[in-house]
Amino acid sequence: MTPPKPEPRAEKVSLFTHLRLFRRDILSAQPARLYRAWMAEFRTPFFESYLCNDPSLVRLVLDERPADFPKSDRVTEGLAPLLGRSVFVTNGAEWQHQRRIIDPAFEGGRLREAFPAIWAASEAAVARMGAGEQEVELAASHAAADVIFRTLFSIPIEDRVAQAVFHEFRAYQRSAPILNLAAFLPLPRWMPRLHRRTTRRSASVIRGLIAGLTADRARAIAAGTAPEDLATKIMTTPDPVTGQGFTTDEMVDQVAIFFLAGHETSASALSWALYLLATHPDAQERVAAEAAGLRPEFGTLGSLRYTRDVFREALRLYPPVPMMVRETVQAETFRGRAVRKGAQVVISPWHLHRHERIWDRPDEFDPDRWAGEGRETAREGYLPFSRGPRVCPGAGFAMLEGTLMLAHLVRAFRFDAVEGRVPVPTAHLTVRAKDGIWLRVARRDGA
Ligand code: HEM
């Protein structure tokens, strides 16, 4: 069965219709030709936008001259009430300083240290899941939030503050759908920016809770009683260039983005991976066979190759971050077209991952492609974690988490599709199913 893909819009529509479609969902607002084109231009009286699928343009923007294609304030301001000056929204020297402090916390060796916490969260996810027909995105969100709390602050999701943050994040997401529109069709600068009142309220509750956790941790570090986790590592690492670390306030901004970037994305990928396995029972049995040999030690990942390829393939078909937006700071020439200063540049993992001139059978679920031609093709057309200096710092962490969670869940349960409930992908903060992902869950014999 070919995994679901949103119905593209008609090739020619009016600007008004396009705006209306964008507001509803950026994926179905695009015409089918974007799965074949190397570049698409979109011009209105207010702005110019270029969606770039040409691998050499993607390289230019993300790897070769990223400083010339920063994130624009117009795009990130929608997130400001929640994220403040976090690494996700900053540019230039401020951003470099932040990455120099954050990156060491996610290096290879640290992943090994995070393994026991991710293992414990996977076991907890299995224990929480019951049999029967259910919506699995919620369970995946719960599990991914648990991973973040355990690895960052050494507390499980059952903790009172962790629960409160988790619930407020859900409220935040429900009240922030406007983000799509603001991000991809920047309004003229003179238009007032209205953050919904509920969004602002949720953002301030979340930040208050995180501020409490961060202040407690600062005290524990000072007293020499802090656990060795990601928060301690980040709060005690000075920038090797300037010698400055994060203040407690700055740390609140960074923690907010770890929660947002780290839990929503992982939850989205895990839910789609479960759906793909439910609709491809042979693949599911292969994962179950691999997972039978799970051991609570880092080396166990070496025996989960197929499971990892399933997760990779889920990230290809349903990249949690479907599009990334940058801005030109000077005039450029893209594929012979003059691009003016201040134009928008959209890099779309969604289209690249299903590009008909890059991938063989682009819409089919085939984890085995990763043992063959997939790796080569990925150089041109696979960037679920972005690329270049602004690559997701949590990429290795997320691959470890996704593989381990999937193996745990499939070892314990069998997942089947529910008739009549085919999920329709749609872009919220991440790629989600319009009415959730419903699966029938049954405990495996002997689990
Ligand atoms: C499957 C899971 C994940 C996916 C698909 C993902 C994807 C991405 C992508 C595409 C970006 C670049 C966005 C842009 O440039 O506009 C990004 C940035 C980021 N991600 Fe992830 N991410 C995942 C998990 C995580 C985790 C687990 C963490 C941390 C615990 C994390 C932290 C971040 C941060 C801090 C940034 C901002 C980096 C910067 O701008 O310099 N992500 N992520």
Side-chain angles (χ1 to χ4, degrees):
M1 178 214 150
T2 306
K5 182 177 175 180
E7 219 27 71
R9 70 154 165 84
E11 287 294 326
K12 290 218 175 310
V13 294
S14 68
L15 176 62
F16 176 75
T17 307
H18 198 188
L19 287 170
R20 197 169 45 78
L21 292 172
F22 249 91
R23 182 181 268 277
R24 211 165 53 201
D25 167 42
I26 51 171
L27 299 181
S28 55
Q30 315 291 348
R33 77 185 146 82
L34 295 194
Y35 295 106
R36 293 184 295 275
W38 289 131
M39 186 169 93
E41 257 177 83
F42 187 65
R43 285 169 194 262
T44 76
F46 303 124
F47 76 101
E48 277 175 21
S49 181
Y50 295 82
L51 185 139
C52 301
N53 284 335
D54 179 339
S56 66
L57 281 179
V58 175
R59 258 195 307 279
L60 177 80
V61 172
L62 297 180
D63 303 292
E64 292 164 10
R65 286 174 34 214
D68 292 339
F69 302 99
K71 290 200 172 182
S72 91
D73 295 346
R74 284 186 295 178
V75 169
T76 52
E77 69 190 339
L79 293 166
L82 179 64
L83 301 183
R85 304 291 307 157
S86 91
V87 65
F88 192 79
V89 302
T90 53
N91 286 307
E94 184 182 12
W95 168 79
Q96 283 171 336
H97 159 69
Q98 294 171 338
R99 285 291 297 236
R100 285 194 297 265
I101 297 176
I102 289 167
D103 285 355
F106 290 94
E107 275 163 8
R110 308 294 300 194
L111 280 187
R112 191 179 279 272
E113 288 168 32
F115 179 88
I118 300 180
W119 178 275
S122 308
E123 287 195 321
V126 168
R128 258 193 316 267
M129 182 159 282
E133 216 170 281
Q134 58 192 280
E135 201 286 298
V136 294
E137 278 189 342
L138 180 59
S141 261
H142 213 136
D146 195 20
V147 168
I148 292 287
F149 283 109
R150 287 177 194 259
T151 50
L152 205 57
F153 283 112
S154 302
I155 51 176
I157 188 78
E158 285 74 26
D159 176 272
R160 191 183 51 79
V161 181
Q163 275 288 319
V165 175
F166 176 59
H167 286 297
E168 243 357 283
F169 256 104
R170 293 191 70 76
Y172 175 84
Q173 263 183 276
R174 276 194 297 274
S175 69
I178 201 77
L179 194 74
N180 286 339
L181 184 70
F184 293 98
L185 291 183
L187 304 166
R189 286 198 186 275
W190 44 261
M191 241 183 209
R193 300 297 194 276
L194 298 176
H195 293 121
R196 289 187 188 183
R197 212 155 20 128
T198 42
T199 316
R200 279 192 179 283
R201 196 202 63 85
S202 285
S204 105
V205 173
I206 294 168
R207 288 183 64 87
L209 291 163
I210 293 177
L213 286 173
T214 311
D216 284 351
R217 177 54 57 89
R219 278 191 289 276
I221 291 171
T225 55
E228 273 300 310
D229 52 21
L230 287 175
T232 299
K233 171 75 182 161
I234 294 169
M235 289 173 78
T236 54
T237 301
D239 174 347
V241 174
T242 64
Q244 293 284 311
F246 288 138
T247 63
T248 308
D249 279 353
E250 285 170 336
M251 186 63 188
V252 175
D253 294 350
Q254 310 309 337
V255 173
I257 186 60
F258 291 149
F259 278 118
L260 189 66
H263 115 260
E264 267 314 303
T265 47
S266 294
S268 152
L270 182 62
S271 331
W272 284 107
L274 288 173
Y275 176 76
L276 288 165
L277 289 179
T279 46
H280 296 80
D282 293 351
Q284 187 173 169
E285 290 319 302
R286 281 173 72 183
V287 170
E290 258 190 11
L294 263 179
R295 285 170 288 118
E297 56 196 55
F298 193 72
T300 201
L301 290 161
S303 57
L304 295 176
R305 294 226 161 77
Y306 184 73
T307 311
R308 200 183 48 216
D309 287 347
V310 165
F311 194 66
R312 273 204 184 115
E313 185 69 345
L315 287 171
R316 185 182 70 81
L317 286 169
Y318 301 101
V321 179
M323 293 181 203
M324 298 176 279
V325 186
R326 302 291 192 263
E327 188 176 61
T328 54
V329 292
Q330 62 195 21
E332 301 280 351
T333 307
F334 285 178
R335 293 181 64 83
R337 310 282 293 187
V339 174
R340 70 165 191 229
K341 178 180 169 193
Q344 279 224 333
V345 180
V346 178
I347 306 287
S348 171
W350 181 270
H351 290 96
L352 275 167
H353 291 189
R354 291 172 178 260
H355 205 279
E356 292 160 17
R357 289 151 84 177
I358 297 179
W359 294 93
D360 186 27
R361 299 166 291 114
D363 293 332
E364 275 174 40
F365 173 67
D366 176 15
D368 284 322
R369 73 170 82 234
W370 292 100
E373 99 285 8
R375 282 167 190 278
E376 255 323 292
T377 314
R379 266 190 252 280
E380 302 282 271
Y382 186 68
L383 55 164
F385 298 107
S386 185
R387 251 182 19 207
R390 236 187 151 139
V391 66
C392 171
F397 183 99
M399 284 307 297
L400 162 59
E401 169 185 355
T403 308
L404 212 52
M405 275 284 172
L406 209 51
H408 267 98
L409 289 170
V410 173
R411 181 174 66 165
F413 301 100
R414 204 182 56 247
F415 295 89
D416 286 299
V418 178
E419 213 167 305
R421 289 235 188 220
V422 178
V424 178
T426 162
H428 291 275
L429 275 177
T430 53
V431 171
R432 288 308 179 107
K434 198 159 145 271
D435 299 308
I437 294 185
W438 286 81
L439 297 179
R440 194 169 309 109
V441 181
R443 195 163 279 283
R444 282 181 189 270
D445 293 343

XYZ file of all heavy atoms in Angstrom, residues 11 32 46 67 76 109 113-114 125 167 181 196 205 217 235 237 279 283 322 348 378 387:
163
model
N -3.136 23.269 -10.500
C -1.929 23.998 -10.914
C -2.122 25.509 -10.859
O -1.278 26.239 -10.398
C -1.506 23.577 -12.330
C -0.892 22.179 -12.400
C 0.456 22.059 -11.655
O 1.225 23.026 -11.638
O 0.707 20.974 -11.086
N 1.297 19.784 -7.723
C 2.059 18.534 -7.876
C 3.401 18.749 -8.563
O 4.340 18.000 -8.359
C 1.223 17.528 -8.667
N 3.917 41.903 -2.225
C 4.595 42.093 -0.939
C 5.927 41.369 -0.816
O 6.799 41.768 -0.090
C 3.711 41.599 0.217
C 2.390 42.267 0.261
C 1.227 41.519 0.227
C 2.318 43.649 0.351
C 0.004 42.142 0.277
C 1.093 44.273 0.405
C -0.079 43.525 0.357
N 25.653 31.963 6.162
C 25.558 33.300 6.777
C 24.837 34.277 5.851
O 24.280 35.278 6.317
C 26.950 33.816 7.110
N 10.552 34.035 12.460
C 10.703 33.497 13.810
C 9.914 34.266 14.864
O 9.753 33.792 15.972
C 12.190 33.484 14.217
O 12.722 34.788 13.986
C 12.970 32.475 13.396
N 29.866 10.784 22.513
C 30.067 10.191 23.831
C 28.910 10.487 24.774
O 28.523 9.659 25.603
N 25.867 8.307 27.235
C 25.426 8.595 28.606
C 23.914 8.783 28.697
O 23.313 8.541 29.738
C 26.134 9.849 29.131
C 27.591 9.590 29.416
C 28.376 10.862 29.649
O 27.816 11.847 30.168
O 29.579 10.865 29.289
N 23.297 9.222 27.580
C 21.839 9.433 27.608
C 21.091 8.103 27.425
O 19.880 8.023 27.673
C 21.434 10.407 26.498
N 7.066 3.742 28.186
C 6.073 3.896 27.098
C 5.355 2.572 26.867
O 4.137 2.540 26.647
C 6.763 4.361 25.820
N 1.397 19.321 29.412
C 0.008 19.701 29.089
C -0.060 21.106 28.502
O -0.805 21.375 27.572
C -0.883 19.567 30.323
C -1.156 18.121 30.618
N -1.834 17.312 29.744
C -0.776 17.323 31.634
C -1.872 16.080 30.221
N -1.239 16.057 31.375
N 1.013 30.198 8.406
C 0.788 31.315 7.513
C 1.879 32.361 7.705
O 2.495 32.823 6.752
C -0.582 31.931 7.803
C -0.961 33.045 6.855
C -1.249 32.485 5.482
C -2.178 33.779 7.375
N -2.104 35.225 19.429
C -3.359 35.007 20.131
C -3.127 35.056 21.633
O -2.076 34.629 22.106
C -3.901 33.630 19.780
C -4.407 33.541 18.399
C -5.047 32.206 18.279
N -5.394 31.968 16.900
C -6.026 30.884 16.509
N -6.354 29.960 17.381
N -6.328 30.726 15.256
N 3.099 30.464 30.775
C 3.033 29.398 31.792
C 4.217 28.440 31.610
O 4.909 28.075 32.566
C 1.700 28.616 31.682
C 1.703 27.406 32.615
C 0.519 29.524 32.009
N 18.098 23.921 39.257
C 19.315 23.268 38.801
C 20.540 24.144 39.051
O 21.598 23.642 39.455
C 19.197 22.918 37.315
C 20.460 22.302 36.732
C 20.928 21.083 37.545
N 19.923 20.054 37.643
C 19.779 19.081 36.763
N 20.575 19.008 35.729
N 18.838 18.161 36.944
N 24.663 23.928 31.324
C 24.783 25.074 32.239
C 26.192 25.229 32.821
O 26.494 26.248 33.434
C 23.750 24.942 33.365
C 22.337 25.172 32.840
S 21.070 24.840 34.052
C 21.132 26.305 35.064
N 28.995 24.491 30.820
C 29.959 24.588 29.718
C 30.118 26.051 29.304
O 29.160 26.660 28.842
C 29.444 23.787 28.495
O 29.263 22.435 28.893
C 30.430 23.841 27.326
N 0.850 -0.799 8.320
C 0.360 -1.036 6.961
C 1.348 -1.894 6.145
O 1.086 -2.186 4.988
C 0.109 0.308 6.229
O 1.233 1.172 6.442
C -1.146 0.991 6.752
N 7.369 -5.870 7.172
C 8.400 -5.012 7.767
C 8.264 -5.044 9.294
O 9.260 -5.103 10.026
C 8.261 -3.584 7.245
N 8.695 19.990 7.724
C 8.500 19.825 6.280
C 9.199 20.882 5.442
O 9.591 20.616 4.317
C 6.984 19.931 6.112
C 6.514 20.726 7.292
C 7.475 20.449 8.405
N 12.643 22.606 1.176
C 11.521 21.759 1.546
C 11.903 20.279 1.624
O 11.881 19.577 0.619
C 10.399 21.934 0.512
O 9.386 20.985 0.738
N 20.607 9.899 -0.753
C 20.369 10.779 0.388
C 21.256 12.018 0.353
O 20.873 13.076 0.841
C 20.585 10.008 1.686
N 21.016 20.526 7.348
C 22.406 20.219 7.036
C 23.269 21.434 7.263
O 22.757 22.533 7.419
C 22.497 19.833 5.554
C 22.757 18.381 5.365
C 22.908 17.963 3.946
N 23.204 19.006 3.004
C 22.861 18.910 1.704
N 22.215 17.866 1.275
N 23.189 19.881 0.880
